[in-house]
Amino acid sequence: KSDFISRVSHELKTPLASIRAASDVIAQAKIGAVNRKQEKMLQIITEETGNLVALIEDLLDMSEIESGRISLKFQKCSLCEAARASLDHFRGRFHQKQVALLDSLPAACPQIHADPKRIRQVFDNLLSNALKFTPAGGRVELKVKVEEPGDHTGGRRMLRASVIDTGVAYEDYGQYKRA
């Protein structure tokens, strides 16, 4: 199964790279002038090929997790930096769908010991899901909160991250999926 996923992923990435390269050539007006509508369409192609590549990467990650071969690269990093990078990545898509993207991040965010790539991936997945199930006019908020030492934190300072949206509730998902 893992070998199959790996091969399929490779076969999908190759044409996506060609599509992205061709759209870049067109966008740079190397083969002729590009009007505003074409520019907008090229932007969509670029974003969506990026989304497909990300989905393929997620599929490969799931395969690695299932096989027990996933490797984490722990280092000091900032949870807030990962959150900001994810917010910046998704801002255009939220704007396009007319969903408000809000954040509540502390000005001073303590460093954590984690794999920054995987932390970013978690935020990307949460924002992607929130966007998918939040209708136009809705809102999504990514929060990071520093919790001071106390009984509820086991006496340690902790960071709590959450994504809150006005999308479809989990209980309603089955009905939403059928609609």
Side-chain angles (χ1 to χ4, degrees), residues 138-151:
R139 67 183 203 103
V140 173
E141 182 174 10
L142 190 154
K143 291 182 178 183
V144 174
K145 180 181 177 187
V146 178
E147 294 191 359
E148 295 302 326
D151 292 339

Side-chain angles (χ1 to χ4, degrees), residues 4-62:
F4 172 75
I5 290 172
S6 180
R7 287 180 188 195
V8 168
S9 297
H10 175 73
E11 294 300 321
L12 289 172
K13 280 180 158 182
T14 302
L16 285 172
S18 298
I19 292 167
R20 183 174 265 170
S23 66
D24 286 346
V25 167
I26 295 168
Q28 294 169 8
K30 290 184 177 179
I31 57 174
V34 179
N35 66 38
R36 283 185 176 230
K37 282 185 181 180
Q38 292 168 331
E39 210 173 85
K40 186 76 171 165
M41 296 307 283
L42 287 167
Q43 181 182 4
I44 291 169
I45 290 168
T46 300
E47 286 178 15
E48 294 304 326
T49 54
N51 292 339
L52 285 172
V53 169
L55 285 171
I56 292 167
E57 293 295 328
D58 286 348
L59 185 61
L60 285 169
D61 287 344
M62 290 302 297

